PDB file of all heavy atoms in Angstrom:
ATOM      1  N   SER A1201     -23.035 -74.777   3.947  1.00  0.00           N
ATOM      2  CA  SER A1201     -21.712 -75.149   3.427  1.00  0.00           C
ATOM      3  C   SER A1201     -20.748 -75.189   4.616  1.00  0.00           C
ATOM      4  O   SER A1201     -21.016 -74.665   5.689  1.00  0.00           O
ATOM      5  CB  SER A1201     -21.228 -74.094   2.406  1.00  0.00           C
ATOM      6  OG  SER A1201     -20.943 -72.868   3.090  1.00  0.00           O
ATOM      7  N   TYR A1202     -19.616 -75.831   4.392  1.00  0.00           N
ATOM      8  CA  TYR A1202     -18.589 -75.941   5.426  1.00  0.00           C
ATOM      9  C   TYR A1202     -18.173 -74.547   5.898  1.00  0.00           C
ATOM     10  O   TYR A1202     -18.101 -74.292   7.091  1.00  0.00           O
ATOM     11  CB  TYR A1202     -17.382 -76.700   4.868  1.00  0.00           C
ATOM     12  CG  TYR A1202     -16.276 -76.868   5.883  1.00  0.00           C
ATOM     13  CD1 TYR A1202     -16.198 -77.999   6.681  1.00  0.00           C
ATOM     14  CD2 TYR A1202     -15.300 -75.866   6.062  1.00  0.00           C
ATOM     15  CE1 TYR A1202     -15.184 -78.137   7.610  1.00  0.00           C
ATOM     16  CE2 TYR A1202     -14.299 -76.013   7.003  1.00  0.00           C
ATOM     17  CZ  TYR A1202     -14.228 -77.145   7.763  1.00  0.00           C
ATOM     18  OH  TYR A1202     -13.249 -77.278   8.698  1.00  0.00           O
ATOM     19  N   THR A1203     -17.957 -73.635   4.948  1.00  0.00           N
ATOM     20  CA  THR A1203     -17.504 -72.290   5.302  1.00  0.00           C
ATOM     21  C   THR A1203     -18.561 -71.542   6.114  1.00  0.00           C
ATOM     22  O   THR A1203     -18.233 -70.897   7.122  1.00  0.00           O
ATOM     23  CB  THR A1203     -17.154 -71.496   4.021  1.00  0.00           C
ATOM     24  OG1 THR A1203     -16.181 -72.218   3.279  1.00  0.00           O
ATOM     25  CG2 THR A1203     -16.641 -70.105   4.344  1.00  0.00           C
ATOM     26  N   SER A1204     -19.808 -71.641   5.710  1.00  0.00           N
ATOM     27  CA  SER A1204     -20.876 -70.983   6.449  1.00  0.00           C
ATOM     28  C   SER A1204     -21.012 -71.552   7.848  1.00  0.00           C
ATOM     29  O   SER A1204     -21.194 -70.813   8.820  1.00  0.00           O
ATOM     30  CB  SER A1204     -22.205 -71.116   5.716  1.00  0.00           C
ATOM     31  OG  SER A1204     -22.162 -70.434   4.484  1.00  0.00           O
ATOM     32  N   ALA A1205     -20.918 -72.881   7.966  1.00  0.00           N
ATOM     33  CA  ALA A1205     -21.020 -73.498   9.289  1.00  0.00           C
ATOM     34  C   ALA A1205     -19.846 -73.095  10.177  1.00  0.00           C
ATOM     35  O   ALA A1205     -20.021 -72.856  11.381  1.00  0.00           O
ATOM     36  CB  ALA A1205     -21.064 -75.030   9.141  1.00  0.00           C
ATOM     37  N   ALA A1206     -18.657 -72.958   9.602  1.00  0.00           N
ATOM     38  CA  ALA A1206     -17.478 -72.523  10.371  1.00  0.00           C
ATOM     39  C   ALA A1206     -17.652 -71.088  10.868  1.00  0.00           C
ATOM     40  O   ALA A1206     -17.360 -70.766  12.030  1.00  0.00           O
ATOM     41  CB  ALA A1206     -16.198 -72.652   9.537  1.00  0.00           C
ATOM     42  N   ILE A1207     -18.188 -70.240  10.028  1.00  0.00           N
ATOM     43  CA  ILE A1207     -18.465 -68.849  10.433  1.00  0.00           C
ATOM     44  C   ILE A1207     -19.496 -68.805  11.546  1.00  0.00           C
ATOM     45  O   ILE A1207     -19.312 -68.090  12.535  1.00  0.00           O
ATOM     46  CB  ILE A1207     -18.928 -68.009   9.212  1.00  0.00           C
ATOM     47  CG1 ILE A1207     -17.767 -67.803   8.226  1.00  0.00           C
ATOM     48  CG2 ILE A1207     -19.524 -66.673   9.661  1.00  0.00           C
ATOM     49  CD1 ILE A1207     -18.177 -67.213   6.885  1.00  0.00           C
ATOM     50  N   LEU A1208     -20.537 -69.600  11.412  1.00  0.00           N
ATOM     51  CA  LEU A1208     -21.551 -69.635  12.485  1.00  0.00           C
ATOM     52  C   LEU A1208     -20.996 -70.193  13.760  1.00  0.00           C
ATOM     53  O   LEU A1208     -21.298 -69.708  14.851  1.00  0.00           O
ATOM     54  CB  LEU A1208     -22.776 -70.439  12.017  1.00  0.00           C
ATOM     55  CG  LEU A1208     -23.737 -69.672  11.101  1.00  0.00           C
ATOM     56  CD1 LEU A1208     -24.842 -70.584  10.619  1.00  0.00           C
ATOM     57  CD2 LEU A1208     -24.333 -68.470  11.816  1.00  0.00           C
ATOM     58  N   ALA A1209     -20.163 -71.226  13.680  1.00  0.00           N
ATOM     59  CA  ALA A1209     -19.561 -71.784  14.898  1.00  0.00           C
ATOM     60  C   ALA A1209     -18.751 -70.713  15.613  1.00  0.00           C
ATOM     61  O   ALA A1209     -18.817 -70.565  16.838  1.00  0.00           O
ATOM     62  CB  ALA A1209     -18.659 -72.971  14.531  1.00  0.00           C
ATOM     63  N   GLU A1210     -18.005 -69.943  14.839  1.00  0.00           N
ATOM     64  CA  GLU A1210     -17.207 -68.864  15.428  1.00  0.00           C
ATOM     65  C   GLU A1210     -18.111 -67.793  16.044  1.00  0.00           C
ATOM     66  O   GLU A1210     -17.909 -67.383  17.184  1.00  0.00           O
ATOM     67  CB  GLU A1210     -16.310 -68.238  14.361  1.00  0.00           C
ATOM     68  CG  GLU A1210     -15.486 -67.082  14.864  1.00  0.00           C
ATOM     69  CD  GLU A1210     -14.690 -66.429  13.763  1.00  0.00           C
ATOM     70  OE1 GLU A1210     -14.568 -66.980  12.659  1.00  0.00           O
ATOM     71  OE2 GLU A1210     -14.166 -65.324  14.000  1.00  0.00           O
ATOM     72  N   GLN A1211     -19.097 -67.363  15.302  1.00  0.00           N
ATOM     73  CA  GLN A1211     -19.958 -66.279  15.766  1.00  0.00           C
ATOM     74  C   GLN A1211     -20.863 -66.680  16.940  1.00  0.00           C
ATOM     75  O   GLN A1211     -21.083 -65.888  17.862  1.00  0.00           O
ATOM     76  CB  GLN A1211     -20.849 -65.779  14.603  1.00  0.00           C
ATOM     77  CG  GLN A1211     -20.095 -65.168  13.458  1.00  0.00           C
ATOM     78  CD  GLN A1211     -19.432 -63.878  13.855  1.00  0.00           C
ATOM     79  OE1 GLN A1211     -20.042 -62.998  14.473  1.00  0.00           O
ATOM     80  NE2 GLN A1211     -18.160 -63.716  13.489  1.00  0.00           N
ATOM     81  N   LEU A1212     -21.331 -67.911  16.932  1.00  0.00           N
ATOM     82  CA  LEU A1212     -22.263 -68.364  17.973  1.00  0.00           C
ATOM     83  C   LEU A1212     -21.563 -68.769  19.257  1.00  0.00           C
ATOM     84  O   LEU A1212     -22.068 -68.554  20.345  1.00  0.00           O
ATOM     85  CB  LEU A1212     -23.088 -69.533  17.476  1.00  0.00           C
ATOM     86  CG  LEU A1212     -24.057 -69.279  16.317  1.00  0.00           C
ATOM     87  CD1 LEU A1212     -24.683 -70.597  15.847  1.00  0.00           C
ATOM     88  CD2 LEU A1212     -25.132 -68.266  16.717  1.00  0.00           C
ATOM     89  N   PHE A1213     -20.378 -69.429  19.125  1.00  0.00           N
ATOM     90  CA  PHE A1213     -19.836 -70.114  20.294  1.00  0.00           C
ATOM     91  C   PHE A1213     -18.455 -69.657  20.762  1.00  0.00           C
ATOM     92  O   PHE A1213     -18.126 -69.843  21.929  1.00  0.00           O
ATOM     93  CB  PHE A1213     -19.765 -71.614  20.020  1.00  0.00           C
ATOM     94  CG  PHE A1213     -21.070 -72.238  19.705  1.00  0.00           C
ATOM     95  CD1 PHE A1213     -21.350 -72.746  18.458  1.00  0.00           C
ATOM     96  CD2 PHE A1213     -22.073 -72.294  20.665  1.00  0.00           C
ATOM     97  CE1 PHE A1213     -22.576 -73.294  18.163  1.00  0.00           C
ATOM     98  CE2 PHE A1213     -23.305 -72.856  20.395  1.00  0.00           C
ATOM     99  CZ  PHE A1213     -23.563 -73.364  19.120  1.00  0.00           C
ATOM    100  N   LEU A1214     -17.635 -69.127  19.875  1.00  0.00           N
ATOM    101  CA  LEU A1214     -16.229 -68.920  20.237  1.00  0.00           C
ATOM    102  C   LEU A1214     -16.058 -68.071  21.490  1.00  0.00           C
ATOM    103  O   LEU A1214     -15.415 -68.512  22.458  1.00  0.00           O
ATOM    104  CB  LEU A1214     -15.471 -68.313  19.052  1.00  0.00           C
ATOM    105  CG  LEU A1214     -13.958 -68.215  19.269  1.00  0.00           C
ATOM    106  CD1 LEU A1214     -13.329 -69.572  19.536  1.00  0.00           C
ATOM    107  CD2 LEU A1214     -13.309 -67.565  18.061  1.00  0.00           C
ATOM    108  N   GLN A1215     -16.626 -66.892  21.520  1.00  0.00           N
ATOM    109  CA  GLN A1215     -16.432 -66.021  22.695  1.00  0.00           C
ATOM    110  C   GLN A1215     -17.094 -66.610  23.937  1.00  0.00           C
ATOM    111  O   GLN A1215     -16.572 -66.500  25.045  1.00  0.00           O
ATOM    112  CB  GLN A1215     -16.962 -64.618  22.431  1.00  0.00           C
ATOM    113  CG  GLN A1215     -16.072 -63.801  21.552  1.00  0.00           C
ATOM    114  CD  GLN A1215     -14.624 -63.755  22.046  1.00  0.00           C
ATOM    115  OE1 GLN A1215     -14.318 -63.902  23.221  1.00  0.00           O
ATOM    116  NE2 GLN A1215     -13.695 -63.569  21.133  1.00  0.00           N
ATOM    117  N   ARG A1216     -18.233 -67.258  23.743  1.00  0.00           N
ATOM    118  CA  ARG A1216     -18.922 -67.875  24.884  1.00  0.00           C
ATOM    119  C   ARG A1216     -18.054 -68.949  25.532  1.00  0.00           C
ATOM    120  O   ARG A1216     -17.944 -69.032  26.764  1.00  0.00           O
ATOM    121  CB  ARG A1216     -20.233 -68.502  24.453  1.00  0.00           C
ATOM    122  CG  ARG A1216     -21.276 -67.531  23.998  1.00  0.00           C
ATOM    123  CD  ARG A1216     -22.508 -68.259  23.450  1.00  0.00           C
ATOM    124  NE  ARG A1216     -23.303 -67.426  22.596  1.00  0.00           N
ATOM    125  CZ  ARG A1216     -24.344 -66.716  23.004  1.00  0.00           C
ATOM    126  NH1 ARG A1216     -24.698 -66.736  24.263  1.00  0.00           N
ATOM    127  NH2 ARG A1216     -25.022 -65.999  22.152  1.00  0.00           N
ATOM    128  N   VAL A1217     -17.430 -69.784  24.702  1.00  0.00           N
ATOM    129  CA  VAL A1217     -16.605 -70.873  25.227  1.00  0.00           C
ATOM    130  C   VAL A1217     -15.289 -70.338  25.805  1.00  0.00           C
ATOM    131  O   VAL A1217     -14.878 -70.744  26.894  1.00  0.00           O
ATOM    132  CB  VAL A1217     -16.352 -71.927  24.143  1.00  0.00           C
ATOM    133  CG1 VAL A1217     -15.289 -72.931  24.576  1.00  0.00           C
ATOM    134  CG2 VAL A1217     -17.654 -72.656  23.794  1.00  0.00           C
ATOM    135  N   LEU A1218     -14.666 -69.414  25.117  1.00  0.00           N
ATOM    136  CA  LEU A1218     -13.371 -68.893  25.604  1.00  0.00           C
ATOM    137  C   LEU A1218     -13.531 -68.114  26.928  1.00  0.00           C
ATOM    138  O   LEU A1218     -12.603 -68.039  27.688  1.00  0.00           O
ATOM    139  CB  LEU A1218     -12.707 -68.003  24.572  1.00  0.00           C
ATOM    140  CG  LEU A1218     -12.221 -68.741  23.307  1.00  0.00           C
ATOM    141  CD1 LEU A1218     -11.585 -67.722  22.344  1.00  0.00           C
ATOM    142  CD2 LEU A1218     -11.231 -69.838  23.652  1.00  0.00           C
ATOM    143  N   SER A1219     -14.723 -67.578  27.160  1.00  0.00           N
ATOM    144  CA  SER A1219     -14.918 -66.796  28.382  1.00  0.00           C
ATOM    145  C   SER A1219     -15.534 -67.622  29.519  1.00  0.00           C
ATOM    146  O   SER A1219     -15.809 -67.062  30.588  1.00  0.00           O
ATOM    147  CB  SER A1219     -15.806 -65.585  28.086  1.00  0.00           C
ATOM    148  OG  SER A1219     -17.085 -65.987  27.681  1.00  0.00           O
ATOM    149  N   LEU A1220     -15.703 -68.932  29.358  1.00  0.00           N
ATOM    150  CA  LEU A1220     -16.271 -69.735  30.438  1.00  0.00           C
ATOM    151  C   LEU A1220     -15.402 -69.692  31.690  1.00  0.00           C
ATOM    152  O   LEU A1220     -14.214 -69.935  31.614  1.00  0.00           O
ATOM    153  CB  LEU A1220     -16.392 -71.214  30.000  1.00  0.00           C
ATOM    154  CG  LEU A1220     -17.536 -71.567  29.067  1.00  0.00           C
ATOM    155  CD1 LEU A1220     -17.408 -73.047  28.653  1.00  0.00           C
ATOM    156  CD2 LEU A1220     -18.877 -71.298  29.707  1.00  0.00           C
ATOM    157  N   ALA A1221     -16.019 -69.354  32.801  1.00  0.00           N
ATOM    158  CA  ALA A1221     -15.333 -69.362  34.093  1.00  0.00           C
ATOM    159  C   ALA A1221     -15.996 -70.353  35.034  1.00  0.00           C
ATOM    160  O   ALA A1221     -15.524 -70.609  36.132  1.00  0.00           O
ATOM    161  CB  ALA A1221     -15.345 -67.973  34.706  1.00  0.00           C
ATOM    162  N   GLN A1222     -17.108 -70.914  34.560  1.00  0.00           N
ATOM    163  CA  GLN A1222     -17.851 -71.932  35.333  1.00  0.00           C
ATOM    164  C   GLN A1222     -18.445 -72.878  34.296  1.00  0.00           C
ATOM    165  O   GLN A1222     -18.446 -72.579  33.102  1.00  0.00           O
ATOM    166  CB  GLN A1222     -18.924 -71.293  36.189  1.00  0.00           C
ATOM    167  CG  GLN A1222     -19.907 -70.434  35.429  1.00  0.00           C
ATOM    168  CD  GLN A1222     -20.818 -69.667  36.363  1.00  0.00           C
ATOM    169  OE1 GLN A1222     -20.565 -69.594  37.561  1.00  0.00           O
ATOM    170  NE2 GLN A1222     -21.861 -69.090  35.840  1.00  0.00           N
ATOM    171  N   PRO A1223     -18.961 -74.030  34.715  1.00  0.00           N
ATOM    172  CA  PRO A1223     -19.504 -74.970  33.739  1.00  0.00           C
ATOM    173  C   PRO A1223     -20.577 -74.293  32.865  1.00  0.00           C
ATOM    174  O   PRO A1223     -21.299 -73.402  33.312  1.00  0.00           O
ATOM    175  CB  PRO A1223     -20.132 -76.054  34.608  1.00  0.00           C
ATOM    176  CG  PRO A1223     -19.352 -76.002  35.890  1.00  0.00           C
ATOM    177  CD  PRO A1223     -19.013 -74.552  36.090  1.00  0.00           C
ATOM    178  N   PRO A1224     -20.629 -74.694  31.595  1.00  0.00           N
ATOM    179  CA  PRO A1224     -21.621 -74.085  30.689  1.00  0.00           C
ATOM    180  C   PRO A1224     -23.052 -74.377  31.156  1.00  0.00           C
ATOM    181  O   PRO A1224     -23.328 -75.439  31.751  1.00  0.00           O
ATOM    182  CB  PRO A1224     -21.340 -74.746  29.344  1.00  0.00           C
ATOM    183  CG  PRO A1224     -20.554 -75.978  29.651  1.00  0.00           C
ATOM    184  CD  PRO A1224     -19.863 -75.736  30.938  1.00  0.00           C
ATOM    185  N   SER A1225     -23.931 -73.463  30.888  1.00  0.00           N
ATOM    186  CA  SER A1225     -25.337 -73.637  31.226  1.00  0.00           C
ATOM    187  C   SER A1225     -25.935 -74.795  30.409  1.00  0.00           C
ATOM    188  O   SER A1225     -25.388 -75.191  29.392  1.00  0.00           O
ATOM    189  CB  SER A1225     -26.135 -72.368  30.948  1.00  0.00           C
ATOM    190  OG  SER A1225     -26.207 -72.165  29.541  1.00  0.00           O
ATOM    191  N   ARG A1226     -27.083 -75.253  30.854  1.00  0.00           N
ATOM    192  CA  ARG A1226     -27.716 -76.348  30.096  1.00  0.00           C
ATOM    193  C   ARG A1226     -28.174 -75.846  28.717  1.00  0.00           C
ATOM    194  O   ARG A1226     -28.161 -76.601  27.765  1.00  0.00           O
ATOM    195  CB  ARG A1226     -28.891 -76.933  30.880  1.00  0.00           C
ATOM    196  CG  ARG A1226     -30.035 -76.010  31.128  1.00  0.00           C
ATOM    197  CD  ARG A1226     -31.128 -76.707  32.013  1.00  0.00           C
ATOM    198  NE  ARG A1226     -32.153 -75.774  32.356  1.00  0.00           N
ATOM    199  CZ  ARG A1226     -33.214 -75.476  31.583  1.00  0.00           C
ATOM    200  NH1 ARG A1226     -33.336 -76.082  30.425  1.00  0.00           N
ATOM    201  NH2 ARG A1226     -34.113 -74.613  31.969  1.00  0.00           N
ATOM    202  N   HIS A1227     -28.495 -74.564  28.603  1.00  0.00           N
ATOM    203  CA  HIS A1227     -28.868 -74.009  27.294  1.00  0.00           C
ATOM    204  C   HIS A1227     -27.682 -73.994  26.362  1.00  0.00           C
ATOM    205  O   HIS A1227     -27.805 -74.363  25.181  1.00  0.00           O
ATOM    206  CB  HIS A1227     -29.422 -72.574  27.450  1.00  0.00           C
ATOM    207  CG  HIS A1227     -30.760 -72.509  28.089  1.00  0.00           C
ATOM    208  ND1 HIS A1227     -31.893 -73.101  27.573  1.00  0.00           N
ATOM    209  CD2 HIS A1227     -31.155 -71.921  29.240  1.00  0.00           C
ATOM    210  CE1 HIS A1227     -32.922 -72.852  28.347  1.00  0.00           C
ATOM    211  NE2 HIS A1227     -32.509 -72.154  29.387  1.00  0.00           N
ATOM    212  N   LEU A1228     -26.514 -73.564  26.870  1.00  0.00           N
ATOM    213  CA  LEU A1228     -25.332 -73.542  26.022  1.00  0.00           C
ATOM    214  C   LEU A1228     -24.937 -74.958  25.602  1.00  0.00           C
ATOM    215  O   LEU A1228     -24.602 -75.203  24.453  1.00  0.00           O
ATOM    216  CB  LEU A1228     -24.163 -72.845  26.736  1.00  0.00           C
ATOM    217  CG  LEU A1228     -22.856 -72.741  25.926  1.00  0.00           C
ATOM    218  CD1 LEU A1228     -23.059 -72.065  24.597  1.00  0.00           C
ATOM    219  CD2 LEU A1228     -21.796 -72.006  26.751  1.00  0.00           C
ATOM    220  N   MET A1229     -25.018 -75.907  26.556  1.00  0.00           N
ATOM    221  CA  MET A1229     -24.686 -77.300  26.189  1.00  0.00           C
ATOM    222  C   MET A1229     -25.661 -77.858  25.169  1.00  0.00           C
ATOM    223  O   MET A1229     -25.266 -78.560  24.239  1.00  0.00           O
ATOM    224  CB  MET A1229     -24.708 -78.191  27.451  1.00  0.00           C
ATOM    225  CG  MET A1229     -23.436 -78.118  28.265  1.00  0.00           C
ATOM    226  SD  MET A1229     -21.905 -78.393  27.351  1.00  0.00           S
ATOM    227  CE  MET A1229     -22.106 -80.087  26.800  1.00  0.00           C
ATOM    228  N   ALA A1230     -26.933 -77.522  25.309  1.00  0.00           N
ATOM    229  CA  ALA A1230     -27.925 -77.995  24.336  1.00  0.00           C
ATOM    230  C   ALA A1230     -27.633 -77.406  22.951  1.00  0.00           C
ATOM    231  O   ALA A1230     -27.728 -78.101  21.945  1.00  0.00           O
ATOM    232  CB  ALA A1230     -29.337 -77.630  24.792  1.00  0.00           C
TER     233      ALA A1230
END
């Protein structure tokens, strides 16, 4: 569902993206 996908987007990526200090790894981009 939209809500579940939004929660997963937050849980999986938010802190990783906000803390980027260098280009994202190929794994993160994938």
Side-chain angles (χ1 to χ4, degrees):
S1201 69
Y1202 180 93
T1203 304
S1204 295
I1207 290 168
L1208 281 175
E1210 178 184 347
Q1211 296 293 313
L1212 295 174
F1213 302 113
L1214 187 59
Q1215 285 307 334
R1216 293 174 200 267
V1217 169
L1218 292 179
S1219 63
L1220 283 175
Q1222 56 189 12
S1225 70
R1226 65 184 175 84
H1227 289 299
L1228 180 55
M1229 279 308 296

